[in-house]
Amino acid sequence: MTDNIILEDVKRIVDGLGTTARQLSDQTILVTGGAGFLGKYLVRTLQHLNKHVLDKPCKIVILDNFITGLRGVLEEDETTQVLEQDISKPFTIEGEIDYIMHAASIAAPLMYSKYPIETIDVGFIGTRNLLEIARDKKVKSMLFFSTSEVYGNPDPKFIPTPETYFGNVSCIGPRAAYDEPKRIGETLCMTYYDQFNTPVNIVRPFNIYGPGMRLDDGRGAINFVVAALKGEKIPVYGDGRNTRTWCYVTDAITGFFQVLLSNQHGEVFNIGSDEQEIEMRHLAEIVAGLVQHQDVSIHNVVGPNEAYSKADVSRRCPDLTKIRSVIGYVPKVNLVKGLTRFVAWADETLKKQATTGNHEKCRICNNDDLQLVLSLGESPLANNLLVHGDLDKKEPVFPLDMVYCPKCHLCQLSYVVPPEEMFTNYLYVTSTTQTFRDHFATMAHHLTEEFNLDEHSLVVDIGSNDGLLLKNFNTKVVGVEPAENLCEIARKDGVETFCGYFSEDIVNSIVQLKGRADLVTANNVFAHIGNIQEVAKNVKNMLKPDGVFVIEVQYVLDTITDLTFDNIYHEHLSYFSVMSLKDFFARQDMGVFKAEHVETHGGSIRVFVQKSGGTRPEHPSVKEFIEKEKIAGLDQFATYAAFGKKIEAIRENIRTFVQQAKQQGKSIVGYGAPAKATTALNFYGITGEDIDYIVEDNPLKHDKIVPGVRIPIKSKEAAAQAPPDYMMILAWNFADEIVKNNEPLRQQGVQFVVPSPEVKIV
Ligand code: UDP
């Protein structure tokens, strides 16, 4: 959704440019500040042109020092090169450059007050360096991103402000570190144009806003929207009577490209919107109206620094006559339309941020006093297997620590990896094993009997994978699955599948198309979701009044008892008991009415939930489970601490076994490369030096490499051709199936070893 808004914006920009953009075919474009708010849009526009418009793609070279721009926001592809470079320091660029868009700057008052010297250097020395490159490479056109701040605090007689206005600027005031280098930058541009005929133009943007701004950038529009969405006070600095005009980013970016690609040179153009000069207090009201958060209110406060409190510009509104007549620039997005898009984007982005990164509060009860159970160190993503081309790249690693909440007894990870990193192309295919094929067939059969489902009933499965469970129902079925590769498999098998997360939008679409569900299932997915409150809300919306929600999730009691610590990896954010799930659903106006133990994934629970006021009485199993959990000490930290200690001992045992085997010259091959193998091997420190390769039955994983420890994955044939001494079963939950299916290997003298909780030959 978030990226959809930006993608739609980029399409509009490209549409707005029309055939003008074709000039960029086969050209090289240097973008400075490519990781900044405007820079990112410039780069994405160029990338979109490459994919959809240009006969031959252009080459995009990005320079950024990442002082305020964020790393990781740029998508490198075969046409895009990202270079980390402070452009105020000497540097050279290899090869030809045809166009320069010099957008590197520190534009937000909060940021340039923090980095004044860097702001001066980039505007002054950086611009000089870029002009030298433009001259040396004989570019066709260069664009310098100046600012409306060159006008300072304009005399009201010059509102709207034309390009000819000289400005009312202080060279020593609180805004000078931004304004003055932009002014000397402009002087340099005009001097290069006069002296060397360098084809440069200057643009002066007026308060551009839109998706992709840093949420903490502190500027007017974003601060208002973020405060409103969080239900906080909207901070209006001073009396709020100062005015601005607000230009939505698509209009500005279209204008920048139009100027770059025009036949004008040595010119300066205002860019912005002249639709509505608006007082900040009124902007705050519009934002409050659009967000409609119950707690939102508007407050007049003193600005956070002198740039706002002493040197706040009273009015700002561009005269756009020149750019309209010379370039044909037409701003199209009005304030309310632009703000509406901006709010939608900020809302999605905030939600994402709230559920990823360091996770300091309990997911269920918000307690911030969480206790460390076990630290598995910095670990790679368990299911993101490497391919050979990845081997010379640094692998991303994330903290993997389990913490316990003494209030609601939920165990959870202390760090949440963004879901897109893990679930976009998912290699775990449910139908791979007979165990799961049988399990889901039986489950569908039982649920059909228990809840009297027939061909009129609707079953919706969250995280439906390749559709295995749904195929076993004789009802109407719909799957919801974020991994595109799996959706394709499911659809080919005739299982209607929505590609995406179980979001409000998707639920609304299913309700519209199919009606409400009798049964919603979530197998091995509930622990993977950060914002489980949101899922519960969407499940309530999805279900008929007396519908049932059935969750299957790994059982923390089994993890603790059987020491199956390798279930702990970044995808599994929560480690549930019936006790913690009952507490959670009670807070969501839902009730757990039955619980069962199931064998999958080394021990899981199947928990049945209905909306509050549902007709089903609570089955005795719920109480029984909770009593058993209390006897096992799941409500005490000491139980978890003891578990952590035992895991350390397992590591020692398995390391000793491997060392001894190696000393005896024995060969070891692994069996099964599930996510748990990545966790275990990385924790044990057993690498490709110790285990030659891992055999895997899922062909999607063949020729890939286990991250971190870098052990290659092969098909069974490899082991058949050269049987090893030991076959270490890493997918221990399928140990029986694996041993049974590989009897011929055993006949050839291969010994099958289960590594934990004790090293055992089976
Ligand atoms: N502003 C505000 N509250 C904020 C941030 C900004 O009232 O949280 C006001 C600020 O005082 C200025 C206007 O909004 O009058 C625009 O500020 P911005 O930081 O966007 O940039 P400026 O136009 O001052 O360069």
Side-chain angles (χ1 to χ4, degrees), residues 492-524:
K492 272 194 197 130
D493 276 357
V495 178
E496 188 167 343
T497 305
F498 281 67
C499 192
Y501 294 99
F502 190 69
S503 63
E504 196 178 336
D505 286 353
I506 287 194
V507 168
N508 285 339
S509 310
I510 302 174
V511 170
Q512 254 179 14
L513 290 169
K514 309 269 165 184
R516 293 209 145 75
D518 299 84
L519 174 68
V520 175
T521 49
N523 290 323
N524 306 311

mmCIF file of all heavy atoms in Angstrom, residues 492-524:
data_model
loop_
_atom_site.group_PDB
_atom_site.id
_atom_site.type_symbol
_atom_site.label_atom_id
_atom_site.label_comp_id
_atom_site.label_asym_id
_atom_site.label_seq_id
_atom_site.Cartn_x
_atom_site.Cartn_y
_atom_site.Cartn_z
ATOM 1 N N LYS A 492 -2.918 -22.074 -9.499
ATOM 2 C CA LYS A 492 -2.835 -23.123 -10.527
ATOM 3 C C LYS A 492 -3.590 -24.366 -10.080
ATOM 4 O O LYS A 492 -4.136 -25.105 -10.884
ATOM 5 C CB LYS A 492 -1.365 -23.470 -10.796
ATOM 6 C CG LYS A 492 -0.776 -22.571 -11.866
ATOM 7 C CD LYS A 492 0.546 -23.100 -12.379
ATOM 8 C CE LYS A 492 1.255 -21.965 -13.104
ATOM 9 N NZ LYS A 492 2.627 -21.790 -12.686
ATOM 10 N N ASP A 493 -3.591 -24.592 -8.761
ATOM 11 C CA ASP A 493 -4.305 -25.748 -8.222
ATOM 12 C C ASP A 493 -5.775 -25.439 -7.968
ATOM 13 O O ASP A 493 -6.468 -26.195 -7.296
ATOM 14 C CB ASP A 493 -3.659 -26.181 -6.896
ATOM 15 C CG ASP A 493 -2.481 -27.086 -7.154
ATOM 16 O OD1 ASP A 493 -2.237 -27.400 -8.326
ATOM 17 O OD2 ASP A 493 -1.816 -27.465 -6.176
ATOM 18 N N GLY A 494 -6.242 -24.307 -8.420
ATOM 19 C CA GLY A 494 -7.661 -23.975 -8.319
ATOM 20 C C GLY A 494 -8.076 -23.370 -6.990
ATOM 21 O O GLY A 494 -9.271 -23.295 -6.694
ATOM 22 N N VAL A 495 -7.135 -22.959 -6.157
ATOM 23 C CA VAL A 495 -7.507 -22.346 -4.880
ATOM 24 C C VAL A 495 -7.466 -20.829 -5.041
ATOM 25 O O VAL A 495 -6.399 -20.252 -5.276
ATOM 26 C CB VAL A 495 -6.544 -22.770 -3.747
ATOM 27 C CG1 VAL A 495 -6.921 -22.080 -2.438
ATOM 28 C CG2 VAL A 495 -6.554 -24.272 -3.580
ATOM 29 N N GLU A 496 -8.634 -20.208 -4.937
ATOM 30 C CA GLU A 496 -8.693 -18.759 -5.105
ATOM 31 C C GLU A 496 -7.866 -18.110 -3.994
ATOM 32 O O GLU A 496 -8.089 -18.356 -2.806
ATOM 33 C CB GLU A 496 -10.154 -18.308 -5.016
ATOM 34 C CG GLU A 496 -10.311 -16.867 -5.359
ATOM 35 C CD GLU A 496 -11.769 -16.493 -5.578
ATOM 36 O OE1 GLU A 496 -12.617 -17.389 -5.776
ATOM 37 O OE2 GLU A 496 -12.048 -15.284 -5.515
ATOM 38 N N THR A 497 -6.886 -17.290 -4.376
ATOM 39 C CA THR A 497 -5.954 -16.759 -3.379
ATOM 40 C C THR A 497 -5.709 -15.278 -3.589
ATOM 41 O O THR A 497 -5.405 -14.848 -4.709
ATOM 42 C CB THR A 497 -4.607 -17.524 -3.469
ATOM 43 O OG1 THR A 497 -4.867 -18.920 -3.343
ATOM 44 C CG2 THR A 497 -3.654 -17.094 -2.370
ATOM 45 N N PHE A 498 -5.889 -14.501 -2.520
ATOM 46 C CA PHE A 498 -5.568 -13.078 -2.571
ATOM 47 C C PHE A 498 -4.108 -12.915 -2.172
ATOM 48 O O PHE A 498 -3.691 -13.447 -1.149
ATOM 49 C CB PHE A 498 -6.418 -12.285 -1.556
ATOM 50 C CG PHE A 498 -7.812 -12.015 -2.040
ATOM 51 C CD1 PHE A 498 -8.715 -13.048 -2.216
ATOM 52 C CD2 PHE A 498 -8.222 -10.708 -2.310
ATOM 53 C CE1 PHE A 498 -10.003 -12.805 -2.659
ATOM 54 C CE2 PHE A 498 -9.503 -10.453 -2.746
ATOM 55 C CZ PHE A 498 -10.396 -11.493 -2.926
ATOM 56 N N CYS A 499 -3.359 -12.176 -2.976
ATOM 57 C CA CYS A 499 -1.945 -12.015 -2.665
ATOM 58 C C CYS A 499 -1.777 -10.789 -1.769
ATOM 59 O O CYS A 499 -2.064 -9.666 -2.187
ATOM 60 C CB CYS A 499 -1.150 -11.858 -3.949
ATOM 61 S SG CYS A 499 0.598 -12.009 -3.630
ATOM 62 N N GLY A 500 -1.332 -10.982 -0.546
ATOM 63 C CA GLY A 500 -1.110 -9.850 0.352
ATOM 64 C C GLY A 500 -1.236 -10.297 1.793
ATOM 65 O O GLY A 500 -1.449 -11.480 2.079
ATOM 66 N N TYR A 501 -1.090 -9.330 2.703
ATOM 67 C CA TYR A 501 -1.280 -9.626 4.122
ATOM 68 C C TYR A 501 -2.770 -9.560 4.431
ATOM 69 O O TYR A 501 -3.542 -8.999 3.659
ATOM 70 C CB TYR A 501 -0.488 -8.631 4.966
ATOM 71 C CG TYR A 501 0.995 -8.809 4.764
ATOM 72 C CD1 TYR A 501 1.707 -7.984 3.911
ATOM 73 C CD2 TYR A 501 1.663 -9.856 5.386
ATOM 74 C CE1 TYR A 501 3.060 -8.185 3.690
ATOM 75 C CE2 TYR A 501 3.011 -10.068 5.175
ATOM 76 C CZ TYR A 501 3.709 -9.225 4.325
ATOM 77 O OH TYR A 501 5.032 -9.451 4.109
ATOM 78 N N PHE A 502 -3.146 -10.110 5.560
ATOM 79 C CA PHE A 502 -4.569 -10.164 5.933
ATOM 80 C C PHE A 502 -4.980 -8.778 6.438
ATOM 81 O O PHE A 502 -5.188 -8.559 7.621
ATOM 82 C CB PHE A 502 -4.742 -11.250 7.002
ATOM 83 C CG PHE A 502 -6.168 -11.584 7.314
ATOM 84 C CD1 PHE A 502 -6.969 -12.229 6.386
ATOM 85 C CD2 PHE A 502 -6.716 -11.243 8.537
ATOM 86 C CE1 PHE A 502 -8.284 -12.535 6.679
ATOM 87 C CE2 PHE A 502 -8.024 -11.549 8.844
ATOM 88 C CZ PHE A 502 -8.816 -12.193 7.909
ATOM 89 N N SER A 503 -5.080 -7.840 5.523
ATOM 90 C CA SER A 503 -5.299 -6.440 5.866
ATOM 91 C C SER A 503 -6.781 -6.100 5.777
ATOM 92 O O SER A 503 -7.588 -6.875 5.247
ATOM 93 C CB SER A 503 -4.545 -5.555 4.875
ATOM 94 O OG SER A 503 -5.091 -5.785 3.589
ATOM 95 N N GLU A 504 -7.098 -4.927 6.269
ATOM 96 C CA GLU A 504 -8.481 -4.454 6.221
ATOM 97 C C GLU A 504 -8.975 -4.437 4.774
ATOM 98 O O GLU A 504 -10.093 -4.876 4.481
ATOM 99 C CB GLU A 504 -8.512 -3.043 6.817
ATOM 100 C CG GLU A 504 -9.889 -2.580 7.173
ATOM 101 C CD GLU A 504 -9.855 -1.190 7.802
ATOM 102 O OE1 GLU A 504 -8.813 -0.787 8.353
ATOM 103 O OE2 GLU A 504 -10.894 -0.511 7.722
ATOM 104 N N ASP A 505 -8.121 -3.938 3.860
ATOM 105 C CA ASP A 505 -8.517 -3.851 2.445
ATOM 106 C C ASP A 505 -8.878 -5.216 1.884
ATOM 107 O O ASP A 505 -9.903 -5.388 1.221
ATOM 108 C CB ASP A 505 -7.350 -3.315 1.589
ATOM 109 C CG ASP A 505 -7.164 -1.839 1.800
ATOM 110 O OD1 ASP A 505 -8.015 -1.249 2.491
ATOM 111 O OD2 ASP A 505 -6.162 -1.291 1.308
ATOM 112 N N ILE A 506 -8.004 -6.193 2.166
ATOM 113 C CA ILE A 506 -8.249 -7.534 1.605
ATOM 114 C C ILE A 506 -9.502 -8.137 2.214
ATOM 115 O O ILE A 506 -10.338 -8.713 1.517
ATOM 116 C CB ILE A 506 -7.003 -8.437 1.792
ATOM 117 C CG1 ILE A 506 -5.934 -7.961 0.792
ATOM 118 C CG2 ILE A 506 -7.329 -9.913 1.625
ATOM 119 C CD1 ILE A 506 -4.775 -8.889 0.569
ATOM 120 N N VAL A 507 -9.674 -7.966 3.526
ATOM 121 C CA VAL A 507 -10.873 -8.513 4.173
ATOM 122 C C VAL A 507 -12.124 -7.874 3.567
ATOM 123 O O VAL A 507 -13.087 -8.574 3.227
ATOM 124 C CB VAL A 507 -10.814 -8.305 5.701
ATOM 125 C CG1 VAL A 507 -12.159 -8.599 6.344
ATOM 126 C CG2 VAL A 507 -9.735 -9.198 6.306
ATOM 127 N N ASN A 508 -12.092 -6.558 3.386
ATOM 128 C CA ASN A 508 -13.266 -5.900 2.801
ATOM 129 C C ASN A 508 -13.567 -6.448 1.412
ATOM 130 O O ASN A 508 -14.726 -6.676 1.061
ATOM 131 C CB ASN A 508 -13.049 -4.385 2.727
ATOM 132 C CG ASN A 508 -13.175 -3.763 4.116
ATOM 133 O OD1 ASN A 508 -13.773 -4.355 5.015
ATOM 134 N ND2 ASN A 508 -12.597 -2.588 4.300
ATOM 135 N N SER A 509 -12.510 -6.687 0.628
ATOM 136 C CA SER A 509 -12.744 -7.226 -0.720
ATOM 137 C C SER A 509 -13.370 -8.617 -0.640
ATOM 138 O O SER A 509 -14.312 -8.932 -1.374
ATOM 139 C CB SER A 509 -11.443 -7.362 -1.512
ATOM 140 O OG SER A 509 -10.722 -6.196 -1.456
ATOM 141 N N ILE A 510 -12.854 -9.458 0.284
ATOM 142 C CA ILE A 510 -13.415 -10.821 0.377
ATOM 143 C C ILE A 510 -14.877 -10.748 0.817
ATOM 144 O O ILE A 510 -15.740 -11.438 0.260
ATOM 145 C CB ILE A 510 -12.606 -11.708 1.355
ATOM 146 C CG1 ILE A 510 -11.142 -11.796 0.908
ATOM 147 C CG2 ILE A 510 -13.203 -13.109 1.437
ATOM 148 C CD1 ILE A 510 -10.230 -12.538 1.875
ATOM 149 N N VAL A 511 -15.149 -9.881 1.810
ATOM 150 C CA VAL A 511 -16.531 -9.772 2.305
ATOM 151 C C VAL A 511 -17.449 -9.352 1.158
ATOM 152 O O VAL A 511 -18.544 -9.902 0.981
ATOM 153 C CB VAL A 511 -16.618 -8.782 3.490
ATOM 154 C CG1 VAL A 511 -18.066 -8.484 3.853
ATOM 155 C CG2 VAL A 511 -15.880 -9.341 4.703
ATOM 156 N N GLN A 512 -16.976 -8.395 0.365
ATOM 157 C CA GLN A 512 -17.809 -7.917 -0.750
ATOM 158 C C GLN A 512 -18.062 -9.004 -1.776
ATOM 159 O O GLN A 512 -19.177 -9.190 -2.254
ATOM 160 C CB GLN A 512 -17.082 -6.775 -1.444
ATOM 161 C CG GLN A 512 -17.710 -5.442 -1.113
ATOM 162 C CD GLN A 512 -16.962 -4.322 -1.802
ATOM 163 O OE1 GLN A 512 -16.161 -4.548 -2.698
ATOM 164 N NE2 GLN A 512 -17.248 -3.112 -1.368
ATOM 165 N N LEU A 513 -16.999 -9.749 -2.089
ATOM 166 C CA LEU A 513 -17.130 -10.746 -3.155
ATOM 167 C C LEU A 513 -17.795 -12.038 -2.693
ATOM 168 O O LEU A 513 -18.542 -12.664 -3.444
ATOM 169 C CB LEU A 513 -15.746 -11.083 -3.718
ATOM 170 C CG LEU A 513 -15.065 -9.989 -4.529
ATOM 171 C CD1 LEU A 513 -13.606 -10.341 -4.784
ATOM 172 C CD2 LEU A 513 -15.789 -9.813 -5.864
ATOM 173 N N LYS A 514 -17.500 -12.453 -1.458
ATOM 174 C CA LYS A 514 -17.932 -13.799 -1.021
ATOM 175 C C LYS A 514 -18.817 -13.795 0.209
ATOM 176 O O LYS A 514 -19.278 -14.845 0.632
ATOM 177 C CB LYS A 514 -16.683 -14.637 -0.662
ATOM 178 C CG LYS A 514 -15.614 -14.667 -1.704
ATOM 179 C CD LYS A 514 -15.824 -15.805 -2.629
ATOM 180 C CE LYS A 514 -14.987 -15.629 -3.865
ATOM 181 N NZ LYS A 514 -15.199 -16.652 -4.853
ATOM 182 N N GLY A 515 -18.933 -12.664 0.864
ATOM 183 C CA GLY A 515 -19.679 -12.638 2.126
ATOM 184 C C GLY A 515 -18.762 -12.960 3.290
ATOM 185 O O GLY A 515 -17.546 -13.068 3.121
ATOM 186 N N ARG A 516 -19.381 -13.131 4.480
ATOM 187 C CA ARG A 516 -18.577 -13.379 5.673
ATOM 188 C C ARG A 516 -18.298 -14.873 5.838
ATOM 189 O O ARG A 516 -19.000 -15.715 5.264
ATOM 190 C CB ARG A 516 -19.269 -12.799 6.908
ATOM 191 C CG ARG A 516 -19.329 -11.280 6.861
ATOM 192 C CD ARG A 516 -19.341 -10.615 8.218
ATOM 193 N NE ARG A 516 -18.621 -9.358 8.189
ATOM 194 C CZ ARG A 516 -19.091 -8.239 7.634
ATOM 195 N NH1 ARG A 516 -20.269 -8.235 7.065
ATOM 196 N NH2 ARG A 516 -18.368 -7.152 7.620
ATOM 197 N N ALA A 517 -17.283 -15.184 6.646
ATOM 198 C CA ALA A 517 -16.810 -16.568 6.719
ATOM 199 C C ALA A 517 -17.390 -17.305 7.924
ATOM 200 O O ALA A 517 -17.642 -16.718 8.976
ATOM 201 C CB ALA A 517 -15.292 -16.580 6.808
ATOM 202 N N ASP A 518 -17.579 -18.621 7.748
ATOM 203 C CA ASP A 518 -17.975 -19.486 8.856
ATOM 204 C C ASP A 518 -16.742 -19.856 9.666
ATOM 205 O O ASP A 518 -16.812 -20.051 10.867
ATOM 206 C CB ASP A 518 -18.603 -20.769 8.295
ATOM 207 C CG ASP A 518 -19.832 -20.458 7.488
ATOM 208 O OD1 ASP A 518 -19.696 -20.135 6.279
ATOM 209 O OD2 ASP A 518 -20.921 -20.467 8.061
ATOM 210 N N LEU A 519 -15.637 -19.972 8.943
ATOM 211 C CA LEU A 519 -14.403 -20.411 9.601
ATOM 212 C C LEU A 519 -13.220 -19.631 9.022
ATOM 213 O O LEU A 519 -13.108 -19.493 7.809
ATOM 214 C CB LEU A 519 -14.212 -21.922 9.324
ATOM 215 C CG LEU A 519 -12.923 -22.557 9.794
ATOM 216 C CD1 LEU A 519 -12.864 -22.610 11.321
ATOM 217 C CD2 LEU A 519 -12.800 -23.990 9.231
ATOM 218 N N VAL A 520 -12.387 -19.103 9.907
ATOM 219 C CA VAL A 520 -11.112 -18.525 9.475
ATOM 220 C C VAL A 520 -10.021 -19.344 10.141
ATOM 221 O O VAL A 520 -10.102 -19.629 11.346
ATOM 222 C CB VAL A 520 -10.989 -17.038 9.889
ATOM 223 C CG1 VAL A 520 -9.612 -16.493 9.537
ATOM 224 C CG2 VAL A 520 -12.068 -16.189 9.229
ATOM 225 N N THR A 521 -9.034 -19.757 9.362
ATOM 226 C CA THR A 521 -7.943 -20.542 9.934
ATOM 227 C C THR A 521 -6.635 -19.778 9.785
ATOM 228 O O THR A 521 -6.476 -18.974 8.863
ATOM 229 C CB THR A 521 -7.809 -21.899 9.203
ATOM 230 O OG1 THR A 521 -7.809 -21.651 7.802
ATOM 231 C CG2 THR A 521 -8.929 -22.833 9.560
ATOM 232 N N ALA A 522 -5.723 -20.023 10.704
ATOM 233 C CA ALA A 522 -4.392 -19.404 10.629
ATOM 234 C C ALA A 522 -3.412 -20.427 11.169
ATOM 235 O O ALA A 522 -3.235 -20.553 12.378
ATOM 236 C CB ALA A 522 -4.359 -18.124 11.458
ATOM 237 N N ASN A 523 -2.828 -21.194 10.245
ATOM 238 C CA ASN A 523 -1.915 -22.254 10.677
ATOM 239 C C ASN A 523 -0.479 -21.811 10.529
ATOM 240 O O ASN A 523 -0.057 -21.411 9.445
ATOM 241 C CB ASN A 523 -2.126 -23.502 9.813
ATOM 242 C CG ASN A 523 -3.458 -24.140 10.115
ATOM 243 O OD1 ASN A 523 -3.895 -24.168 11.271
ATOM 244 N ND2 ASN A 523 -4.129 -24.610 9.092
ATOM 245 N N ASN A 524 0.243 -21.890 11.602
ATOM 246 C CA ASN A 524 1.671 -21.540 11.584
ATOM 247 C C ASN A 524 1.902 -20.166 10.991
ATOM 248 O O ASN A 524 2.798 -19.976 10.174
ATOM 249 C CB ASN A 524 2.459 -22.600 10.798
ATOM 250 C CG ASN A 524 2.168 -23.969 11.357
ATOM 251 O OD1 ASN A 524 2.231 -24.174 12.565
ATOM 252 N ND2 ASN A 524 1.781 -24.889 10.503
#
